[in-house]
Amino acid sequence: MCGIVGYIGDENARDIIIDGLKRLEYRGYDSAGIALCTENGLVVRKRQGRIQNLENMIAGEDLYANLGIGHTRWATHGAPSDRNAHPHCDRSGRIAVVHNGIIENFMELKEWLQKEYGIEFQSDTDTEVIAQLIGVFYSGDLEEAVFRAVEKLQGSYGLGIICSEEPDKLIAVRRDSPLIVGLGEGCNFIASDIPAILRHVRKIYLIENNETVILTKNDVKIYNAQRQEVHREVFHVTWDADAAEKEGYDHFMLKEIHEQPKGILDTIRRRMDADGKIVLDGIRMTKAEIENFNKVYIVACGTAYHAGLIGKTVIEKLAGISVEVDIASEFRYREPFVDDRTLFIAISQSGETLDTLAALREAKRKGARVLSVVNVVGSSVARESDDVFYTWAGPEIAVASTKAYTTQLVCMYLIGLYMGREKGTLPQDVYDRYIEELLAVPEKIEKVLRQEKQIENLAKKFYRRDNIFFIGRGMDSAVSYEGSLKLKEISYINSFAIAAGELKHGTIALIEEGTLVIALATQDRLLEKMISNIQEVRARGADVLAIAKENRTAVEQQADDVIYIPECMDEITPLISVVPLQIFAYYIAKQRGCDIDKPKNLAKSVTVE
Ligand code: M6R
C-alpha cells in the first residue's frame, strides 16, 4: 500500500512529485507529504487526508528544488495524521525518507536508537526508525549510511531517500515492495508504479529485491545486497498514459466496467491463433508436463480469489484434474500438500499482493510449478513465477476490481481448455463450443451494459437498504461472493453472500421484512432449486432482485425485479452475470455519495500481510 515517488533533474521537483502522487493515490490516501532539497536545505510538508490537502497547503509557497521525494499513505503503524504522514526525517533534519511497506523489527530498533543515541521520535510510525538509523550512521556519505541502515531492517520496504548535504543524489531501496526507476534525459525518477511517471519517461528499470539504486540526474546505478553493481535491461512501456485517465466517465470504476468487452477480447486474442487454437507461447505446458501434474492449487486474495473459485469448477471440468482453491493468507500457514507434481496458479491483478507473493514462495519452496495470472507486467508475482499468463485488462485504477476479474476468469477458461486438449481428454466439439461461447462474451457484455439505466433505477430503489444478501447455486454462488464484495467495499452496506442451498442451515434467520436478496439464477440445471430458494426468502418478507438468462419466465414470476443476461452456456455465465452486479454496486455507492474509486480503509495494492 502507500505510493512513493522521487525526482532528480533540472525541473521543479515539486510539481512533478505532486503530479506523480496523484497518479499513485489509488495505493493509499489517508495522508500525503513531500520533501524537497531546496537551496535553503530540506523542506518537508505533509498533511492528513487527500493529496489535494497537501496541494492546498503548499499552494502559496515559493518552493523550488531539483531533487525531491513524495508519499501517499495507507496507514499501518500510527493513525492517519499530519505527524505520522511521510516523509520522515532524522533528528538533524537533513535526511528525509519515504517508505512503502512495514518494518517488522521497528520496536526493537526504536528502543535501541532511544537508548544508545537518546533519539526522541516525532511520530508513531515504523518508518521513522529508518530515517533516524540513516541519520546516526551518516558521516558525510549517504550511500554508506543507507547500506548500514538497511542491513538492520527486517520486513518490507520500497524507500526513497534524500539528504540536504548531497543535493545531487537520490537513493532508492527495495525489498518486497514494488519499486521502479524511470530513465529520462538529464533527469531520473523513482516510483512505486509506472503510471506515476509515465508522463515523463517510457524507459524503466524494474528493481529487484534487496537492490539499492543510486540516482543522479544523468546516471543510475543498481547494487545488490553485496554492494556489487548489477546490470539491468531497460523495460519499454508500450501502453499509453491515457489508458489511466477517466476519459469522460465520472469514475474509473465505471470506465473499467465498460472496458470489459475489450479486455476480454484482448486476453483471448493474445492466446488464440486464427484457427481458434489456444497457444500458450512462453508457458511451459507440454503434454508430458500436464500429465505429470496430479493437482492444481489456485491461490489469491479478494476478488482474485473469487476468480479462483470459478477457476476450480472450470479447470476441473475441462482438464479433468483436481483443483484446490485457497485464500493466500491462509494457504501459507496451512502446511498445504504441495509438491513437484502440483501446478500452483497465483492470481493477482497488481502482482504485488504480499499474501499472494508469500504463498507463491511457499509453493515454490515445496517444489510446485508456479504459473501466475497477472495484470501488471513485470510485477513481483510475475517475476517470481515460473510462467506468467498476463491478463490484458489494461491499467486498473479503481480500488474495486472489475475488468481485472473478468479477464482473470477468461484465463481460467483458457488454461482449462488448453490442458484438457493437450491431455486429449476434452472432446473436440466441447472445446469448439467453449471457444465459440468465449468469443461471443464481449458482445453479450455490451448488451448488459446497454441496460445500465435500468440497473441505475434499481439502485435508486434499493440504495437505502442496510442489509443485502446475495445467493446463488453452483457457479452462481462464486459470482454472488464477488457481487457482495463489490457492494460492500464501495457502498459500505452490510452485505453477505451464501450458497443458496446453505441458507436454511442458519443464515435464513436473518431474513426479514425489507431485506433485499439478490438471487443469481443463471444455472439452468439448478433453476428449479433456485426458485425454491427465492420462494423461501420471499416467504420471510425479503424483496428479491434476480439475475437470470433471457426468457426464464419462472424467475420473473417469483422475483420482484429481474435483470436479464443474454443466452449462453451455464458454464460461461460468470463472465456475464457479474457485470450487472458491478453496475448495481456502482450506482448504489453513487446514490449514497461514496468516494467510489477510493473507498475508505482500502488500497489498490495490498503490500502488507
Ligand atoms: O492485486 P490483487 O489482485 O492481488 O489484489 C487482491 C485483492 O486485494 C483485490 O482483489 C481486492 O479484493 C479488490 N479491492 C476487490 O475489488
Side-chain angles (χ1 to χ4, degrees), residues 301-304 347-351 353 399-401 408 485-486 489 606:
C301 306
T303 286
I347 310 179
S348 175
Q349 185 284 132
S350 62
T353 303
V399 166
S401 183
Q408 285 160 356
L485 178 65
K486 231 51 333 157
E489 72 179 325
V606 186

Side-chain angles (χ1 to χ4, degrees), residues 87-119:
H88 291 286
C89 293
D90 75 319
R91 67 174 158 185
S92 75
R94 290 175 303 180
I95 294 163
V97 174
V98 286
H99 169 215
N100 168 29
I102 287 184
I103 303 305
E104 283 161 3
N105 59 339
F106 90 101
M107 278 309 293
E108 187 189 306
L109 292 170
K110 192 168 179 172
E111 279 163 23
W112 180 74
L113 286 161
Q114 283 165 330
K115 202 161 145 243
E116 291 294 316
Y117 298 92
I119 287 176

Side-chain angles (χ1 to χ4, degrees), residues 297 299 331 338 342-346 356 359-360 363 368-372:
Y297 229 120
V299 174
F331 170 87
V338 168
T342 307
L343 172 63
F344 179 93
I345 303 180
T356 307
L360 178 160
R369 235 314 255 298
V370 175
L371 168 65
S372 61

